[in-house]
């Protein structure tokens, strides 16, 4: 559902902003999920996390030529896809190990940290590209 909504939004919102807003929405959902809340609110928070995460990967791939140039974009997209597949393989394993060791309450906290790192890294790339365009 989130990818469909972000697909419609992509005609009016740039990929950079879809990534930014997706990160903010995902972090918002995870902050709610970390709080001591009833189960029905937690279900809504998980829905919000999913909506926030939905536009991020397609928007990152779509923005690659603009961020890294047309010549480098095939290689960078390959690295992005390899990273996504590696992450989708290893993160559930890591989350399971963490949950078995310290409990399920750690999972939203770690996801919040991962979302925050992704958001910060994306913003650093945005600022770096902006500075590069100003000096060129």
């Amino acid at each position: 559902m989130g990818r469909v909504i972000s697909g419609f939004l992509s005609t009016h919102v740039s990929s950079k902003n879809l990534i930014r807003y997706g990160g903010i929405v995902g972090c918002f959902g995870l902050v709610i999920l970390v709080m001591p809340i009833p189960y029905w609110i937690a279900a809504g928070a998980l829905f919000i996390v999913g909506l926030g995460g939905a536009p991020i990967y397609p928007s990152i791939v779509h923005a690659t030529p603009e961020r890294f140039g047309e010549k480098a974009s095939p290689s960078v997209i390959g690295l992005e896809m390899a990273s996504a597949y590696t992450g989708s393989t290893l993160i559930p394993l890591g989350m399971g190990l963490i949950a078995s060791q310290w409990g399920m309450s750690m999972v939203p906290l770690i996801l919040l940290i991962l979302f925050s790192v992704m958001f910060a890294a994306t913003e650093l790339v945005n600022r770096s590209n902006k500075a590069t365009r100003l000096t060129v």
Side-chain angles (χ1 to χ4, degrees), residues 21-111:
Y21 299 148
I24 291 168
V25 169
C27 285
F28 175 72
L30 286 165
V31 166
I32 294 171
L33 201 57
V34 169
M35 293 190 236
I37 53 176
Y39 289 113
W40 62 273
I41 295 176
L46 281 174
F47 183 77
I48 292 170
V49 172
L51 282 178
I56 293 174
Y57 180 70
S59 297
I60 286 173
V61 173
H62 182 261
T64 299
E66 178 186 333
R67 288 182 169 181
F68 297 98
E70 294 287 330
K71 192 173 183 179
S73 65
S75 297
V76 175
I77 289 172
L79 287 172
E80 290 168 350
M81 294 181 98
S83 299
Y85 286 121
T86 303
S88 68
T89 301
L90 297 178
I91 288 179
L93 172 67
M95 291 295 181
L97 292 172
I98 289 167
S100 67
Q101 191 71 23
W102 292 288
M104 281 297 291
S105 62
M106 293 300 294
V107 172
L109 184 62
I110 292 168
L111 287 174

Side-chain angles (χ1 to χ4, degrees), residues 105-127:
S105 62
M106 293 300 294
V107 172
L109 184 62
I110 292 168
L111 287 174
L112 179 61
I113 291 167
L114 291 173
F115 249 90
S116 300
V117 168
M118 182 274 314
F119 183 77
T122 302
E123 289 301 311
L124 283 172
V125 169
N126 289 340
R127 288 195 180 121

Side-chain angles (χ1 to χ4, degrees), residues 124-136:
L124 283 172
V125 169
N126 289 340
R127 288 195 180 121
S128 172
N129 282 347
K130 187 176 181 181
T132 302
R133 276 191 225 115
L134 291 175
T135 59
V136 174

